[in-house]
């Protein structure tokens, strides 16, 4: 099959630049055919490859997704929820692959993405790394095996620039724990604690968020009982793991037909 033509949305962002480097390293499986940034960004007009440090690619960064999306096989999108929901609609019109790594979605964005997946091939995951997706599967199993004598807490730390909390990954882990235990996360989750909170309620799934420095992403799921604790952890030290997962997802989605998929589908776990 010919190389897959991909556009990167948010091309000047931390993940956008990592995605450009990863596509360039894909040995011809995929190629950067478009790069989009927000209107007003000072990256507009720059060469996407030069900005990402891989040398000129002859692809100028523009703020016009319509024109680009008509010319590519897929888009890699690690931006903000409103943008991803809008791009999903464009991907649906163009019947192409849309890989969404963005986190922090509200119900209105989720609904728009679900509707777009009737025509686009959407692969959406709060974390695209193999290790974290394995951690999600293991968390579900451990939560299934342990009863509510084990208090579940999800702890995460990210760099100081991150704008949403808890992280998309922490929420994925909380969902997996709730599924394993056969409860709804919406009814059991405790997203923050402050002041005189009273004692912990049996069955709660707690979240704690740390922010600072340049931490790429660290997550632990703690199962704490009287006298013992099971701790499952993942530590990301390089954004490349998310970008490699995203490119793998795009290649996997090619020719798949419309639908809303996760990284677990891509990785077969
Ligand atoms: P970032 O702020 O460095 O990059 C986001 C980019 O999107 C910015 O360059 C911004 O200008 C651009 N953007 C904003 N509006 C736009 C528009 N209308 N059109 C085009 N581009 C636009 O952030 P980041 O650290 O790269 O993270 C981006 C998102 O990806 C966050 O939601 C983060 O949580 C998520 N993330 C997910 C994974 C995963 O594996 N799923 C991994 C890392 C980060």
């Amino acid at each position: 099959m010919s190389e897959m033509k991909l556009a990167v949305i948010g091309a000047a962002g931390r993940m956008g630049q990592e995605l450009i480097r990863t596509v360039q390293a894909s040995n011809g499986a995929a190629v950067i055919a478009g790069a989009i940034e927000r209107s007003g960004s000072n990256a507009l007009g720059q060469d996407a490859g030069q900005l990402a440090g891989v040398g000129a690619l002859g692809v100028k960064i523009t703020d016009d997704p319509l024109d680009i999306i008509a010319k590519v096989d897929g888009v890699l999108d690690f931006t903000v929820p409103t943008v991803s929901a809008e791009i999903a609609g464009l991907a649906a019109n163009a019947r192409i692959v849309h890989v969404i790594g963005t986190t922090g979605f509200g119900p209105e964005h989720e609904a728009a993405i679900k509707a777009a997946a009737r025509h686009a091939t959407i692969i959406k995951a709060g974390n695209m790394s193999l290790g974290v997706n394995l951690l999600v599967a293991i968390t579900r199993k451990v939560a299934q095996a342990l009863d509510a004598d084990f208090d579940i807490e999800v702890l995460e730390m990210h760099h100081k620039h991150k704008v949403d909390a808890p992280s998309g990954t922490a929420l994925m882990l909380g969902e997996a724990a709730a599924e394993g235990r056969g409860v709804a996360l919406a009814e059991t989750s405790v997203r923050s604690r402050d002041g005189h909170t009273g004692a912990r309620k049996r069955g709660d799934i707690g979240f704690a968020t740390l922010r600072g420095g340049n931490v790429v992403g660290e997550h632990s799921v703690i199962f704490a009982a009287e006298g013992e604790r099971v701790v499952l952890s993942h530590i990301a030290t390089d954004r490349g793991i998310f970008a490699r997962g995203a490119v793998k997802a795009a290649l996997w989605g090619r020719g798949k037909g419309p639908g809303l998929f996760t990284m677990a589908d891509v990785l077969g776990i």
Side-chain angles (χ1 to χ4, degrees):
M1 211 188 285
S2 62
E3 58 198 10
M4 186 173 188
K5 289 201 223 76
L6 294 175
V8 175
I9 321 288
R14 277 176 289 269
M15 279 306 301
Q17 294 187 45
E18 194 67 50
L19 288 162
I20 291 165
R21 292 190 282 272
T22 303
V23 171
Q24 273 312 99
S26 73
N27 293 326
V31 65
I32 296 291
I36 315 287
E37 256 301 332
R38 63 178 166 77
S39 308
S41 162
N42 52 20
L44 295 180
Q46 290 189 47
D47 185 280
Q50 238 154 16
L51 188 71
V54 291
L57 297 175
V59 176
K60 295 270 180 252
I61 300 177
T62 79
D63 61 358
D64 180 10
L66 256 185
D67 180 46
I68 301 286
I69 283 177
K71 295 183 195 148
V72 297
D73 305 307
V75 285
L76 305 173
D77 168 8
F78 286 61
T79 55
V80 292
T82 46
V83 172
S84 296
E86 186 192 319
I87 296 290
L90 301 180
N93 287 341
R95 309 285 199 267
I96 61 169
V97 175
H98 184 194
V99 177
I100 304 178
T102 308
T103 61
F105 291 107
E108 70 282 19
H109 308 122
E110 301 280 8
I113 290 168
K114 200 169 158 203
R118 286 201 294 267
H119 301 296
T121 309
I122 299 184
I123 301 119
K124 174 171 167 290
N127 194 304
M128 301 259 167
S129 92
L130 170 62
V132 159
N133 282 281
L134 278 175
L135 182 66
V136 168
I138 295 166
T139 296
R140 192 177 295 115
K141 277 220 150 71
V142 173
Q144 208 167 15
L146 301 175
D147 66 18
D149 284 346
F150 284 79
D151 299 323
I152 304 177
E153 293 281 307
V154 181
L155 174 66
E156 58 115 334
M157 180 159 188
H158 281 87
H159 55 87
K160 62 187 173 193
H161 305 290
K162 186 162 177 62
V163 292
D164 55 314
S167 70
T169 306
L171 292 172
M172 279 166 68
L173 291 165
E175 278 292 353
E179 269 169 42
R181 193 167 258 185
V183 297
L185 185 62
E187 282 153 30
T188 48
S189 83
V190 176
R191 304 269 288 248
S192 63
R193 297 185 180 104
D194 186 27
H196 186 84
T197 59
R200 190 186 201 284
K201 232 174 63 215
R202 187 179 163 86
D204 276 351
I205 297 179
F207 290 85
T209 301
L210 308 180
R211 292 285 175 265
N214 64 350
V215 175
V216 173
E218 302 191 4
H219 294 86
S220 293
V221 185
I222 302 163
F223 297 82
E226 297 289 331
E228 63 178 331
R229 215 155 65 232
V230 178
V231 181
L232 309 174
S233 295
H234 179 268
I235 296 173
T237 54
D238 180 354
R239 278 189 184 81
I241 57 171
F242 311 127
R244 287 194 291 277
V247 173
K248 191 182 180 113
L251 293 169
W252 176 89
R254 198 178 190 186
K256 262 270 165 330
L260 184 52
F261 303 97
T262 67
M263 265 326 263
D265 297 315
V266 175
L267 297 168
I269 53 176

